[in-house]
Each structure stands twice: as structure tokens, then as C-alpha cells.
Amino acid sequence: MNKVIEADFLPRGSDVDLSWPNSTPAFGVNQKRRILIIDNDRDTTHLLKILLEKTGNYLVLQENDASRAHQTARDFRPAVILLDIVMPETDGGEVAARIEADPELHNTPIIFLTALVTRAEAKTGLQIQGHPFLAKPINILELINTIEKHLPAHVAF
């Protein structure tokens, strides 16, 4: 059964199907990939969590305090981290540096989320600190495609 998800950042009246028909995860049946979203905006993290979990392929954890993000990543062991750049006190670049310096997390893909660039700039293939990025507001289909592109083939838990 396919579920249809509607959101404000999808075109009005759009019946975009976010299910993954006929797909079986390569890493094990019924095993969801862990996604950590780090953003100080609780509404953004909550909405992304709902939309990503609706696909049935992801287990999503939100972290809204950048100062706790590194420890949350160590505890949760995500397959991918979605990381806002502009946050009060500790910005995404600092969080990324801490994660990259951690021997247990340094191979975890990070995808930056930012309102500092346009969609056109984001589509050029440029990277921020060597990581891909998506422009806010986030297009959920672009986000899922980017996550899938950067997921490691096998995740050790």
C-alpha cells in the first residue's frame, strides 16, 4: 500500500508518492536506516522526521541543541547526518568538525541544510567543507534522493 504525503514545500495539489515500491533495503529486510537531524528549528526537524519516517525506510532522531549534537551522534550512530549550518552558539561547521574528528563517526556522511544559498547554487554540485548541501526550504524528494546517494552500503551497529 502506497501512502501519499503532502507538505507545504510540495506544489499545492501535488500527489507526490513518497513510498518506495518494490524496494528492499540491501542492508537487511525491515532494517531502517538511522538519520540524525541537527537543527535548532524544532518545527523543521519535526516535519522532516515525520516525512522521512513515512517512507518506511528511516528511523529519525531530532537534535535541536547543537552543543549536544556530537554526543547524540555518538549515542545514536546514524547512517547519515542532516546538519543545519546557521545555529546559535555552535554552528553546523563546528559540529561537523567535531564529528569528523571522532574516530567512531568520521565516516558518517553529513548533508548540510542551509538557507544561505539558492536552490540553483545547491544544484551546481558545490560542497561546503567537502559535504553536499541542500537549500532551505527543503524539497523532500531532493532530500530523499540526496540521502540515498550518500548512504553507506553497509552500516555497522
Side-chain angles (χ1 to χ4, degrees), residues 96-156:
R98 289 180 193 152
I99 290 168
E100 290 168 340
D102 187 322
E104 294 182 28
L105 297 172
H106 74 277
N107 288 326
T108 305
I110 296 171
I111 300 168
F112 282 116
L113 309 177
T114 182
L116 298 176
V117 298
T118 65
R119 261 204 171 73
E121 290 170 322
K123 290 185 180 204
T124 64
L126 294 175
Q127 297 189 337
I128 298 173
Q129 292 182 335
H131 301 284
F133 62 92
L134 293 173
K136 287 183 176 183
I138 300 300
N139 174 301
I140 193 66
L141 294 177
E142 274 184 280
L143 177 61
I144 290 170
N145 287 335
T146 304
I147 288 170
E148 289 298 317
K149 181 179 176 182
H150 291 90
L151 276 172
H154 300 289
V155 178

Side-chain angles (χ1 to χ4, degrees), residues 9 16 40 47 64 79 95 105 109 124 146:
F9 43 84
V16 176
N40 62 297
L47 181 59
N64 301 113
V95 173
L105 297 172
T124 64
T146 304

Side-chain angles (χ1 to χ4, degrees), residues 64-98:
N64 301 113
D65 183 346
S67 67
R68 293 194 318 235
H70 178 231
Q71 187 59 51
T72 300
R74 287 188 64 108
D75 295 342
F76 187 61
R77 302 285 184 205
V80 171
I81 297 171
L82 306 177
L83 179 57
D84 186 25
I85 293 177
V86 179
M87 294 183 284
E89 298 175 30
T90 307
D91 70 23
E94 293 174 56
V95 173
R98 289 180 193 152

